Amino acid sequence: MEQPFFILGPCGLENEQFAWDMARSIKEIADRLDIKWYFKASYDKANRTSGDAFRGPGVKEGTRILGEISKELGVPVTTDIHNPAEAEIAAENIDLLQVPAFLCRQTDLIEACAKTGRAVNVKKGQFLAPWDTVNIGNKLRSFGCEDFYITERGTTFGYNNLVADMRSLYWMREEGLRVIFDATHSVQRPGGLGGATGGDGVLAPVLAKAAVATGVNGVFMETHSNPAEALSDGPNQIPLSDIEEVLKRLVAVHEAAHC
């Protein structure tokens, strides 16, 4: 099994300089480790606990910034879109279009992504069984998209909590799907802080190692230079100062388990 690629970057595109700083820092680490990766940042945090929470620069400005980072640094980029109109705009600059978990069954959105010709990554809804994602894959194929991934990002487990079931990764791959594991969103506690989402970021590397040992095509991990000051999902993100060591360990786990 090939070494998984990595999707790395901050949760939100907080501002242009921040995005550039994060992308350059992660690129230096990725080059040292010789790993395949995508830079990730969200231009619109549309699904927030509070209506007063940070959103982002929007689709046009956000994808412009990501497109320029991609061209300058020579790294593919990904971001999440929220409606069919955004798919066409984002596809001008974005290599991998991401469909958020709560929108994973929206046929119009799936169709719009598929018809851009770009690769598509659909986050598995927290409410779906692993085998239900076969229907998402069939939708994408019916609209002409064969280059797609399904991302496991945890399953609702009571109130304000998620559980990551490693069996899901195996079952989805057995269905012929290419699978990514989202380590940082899997440790969320949705709405757990009352007006914001909490989480157990210290567990993200633990779950990532389990996922790599199980076998995945990619690993998604959000990272931030100062998670405590992040404008979204700070409790789940891995500190940038730790990410190189985390990646080294994941590469070692893959080699031990699959090589």
Side-chain angles (χ1 to χ4, degrees), residues 70-198:
S70 178
K71 291 175 184 176
E72 176 71 21
L73 301 185
V75 57
V77 293
T78 184
T79 193
D80 43 325
I81 64 171
H82 308 93
N83 59 63
E86 288 184 2
E88 186 174 355
I89 298 170
E92 295 178 10
N93 291 297
I94 304 303
D95 300 281
L96 178 64
L97 299 177
Q98 179 178 295
V99 176
F102 285 129
L103 302 177
C104 68
R105 291 177 49 162
Q106 296 294 327
T107 302
D108 288 346
L109 183 57
I110 295 292
E111 180 180 12
C113 288
K115 291 187 173 179
T116 65
R118 292 292 195 177
V120 180
N121 174 27
V122 181
K123 293 285 193 77
K124 170 182 159 287
Q126 300 92 321
F127 44 86
L128 286 185
W131 38 87
D132 292 337
T133 60
V134 172
N135 297 316
I136 297 172
N138 289 340
K139 282 185 185 180
L140 285 160
R141 293 187 184 103
S142 72
F143 295 127
C145 178
E146 295 288 342
D147 188 5
F148 65 86
Y149 301 88
I150 303 294
T151 291
E152 172 61 64
R153 49 94 70 236
T155 301
T156 299
F157 188 68
Y159 299 126
N160 303 122
N161 204 4
L162 299 172
V163 64
D165 184 357
M166 295 298 146
R167 298 175 302 173
S168 172
L169 307 175
Y170 173 83
W171 284 327
M172 288 192 290
R173 289 185 61 236
E174 283 292 290
E175 294 288 352
L177 300 170
R178 295 187 297 172
V179 177
I180 297 170
F181 180 68
D182 181 343
T184 42
H185 286 101
S186 290
V187 299
Q188 277 185 332
R189 292 186 180 271
L193 299 180
T197 287

Side-chain angles (χ1 to χ4, degrees), residues 23-66:
R24 290 190 176 104
S25 295
I26 298 170
K27 177 176 168 52
E28 290 178 3
I29 294 168
D31 287 349
R32 283 196 293 271
L33 299 181
D34 192 27
I35 58 172
K36 296 178 181 178
W37 71 293
Y38 290 81
F39 179 67
K40 177 268 171 193
S42 297
Y43 58 75
D44 183 10
K45 301 306 299 179
N47 176 33
R48 302 304 306 277
T49 304
S50 170
D52 297 327
F54 168 80
R55 293 282 298 265
V59 60
K60 291 184 178 179
E61 179 68 2
T63 56
R64 175 194 67 79
I65 294 169
L66 290 170

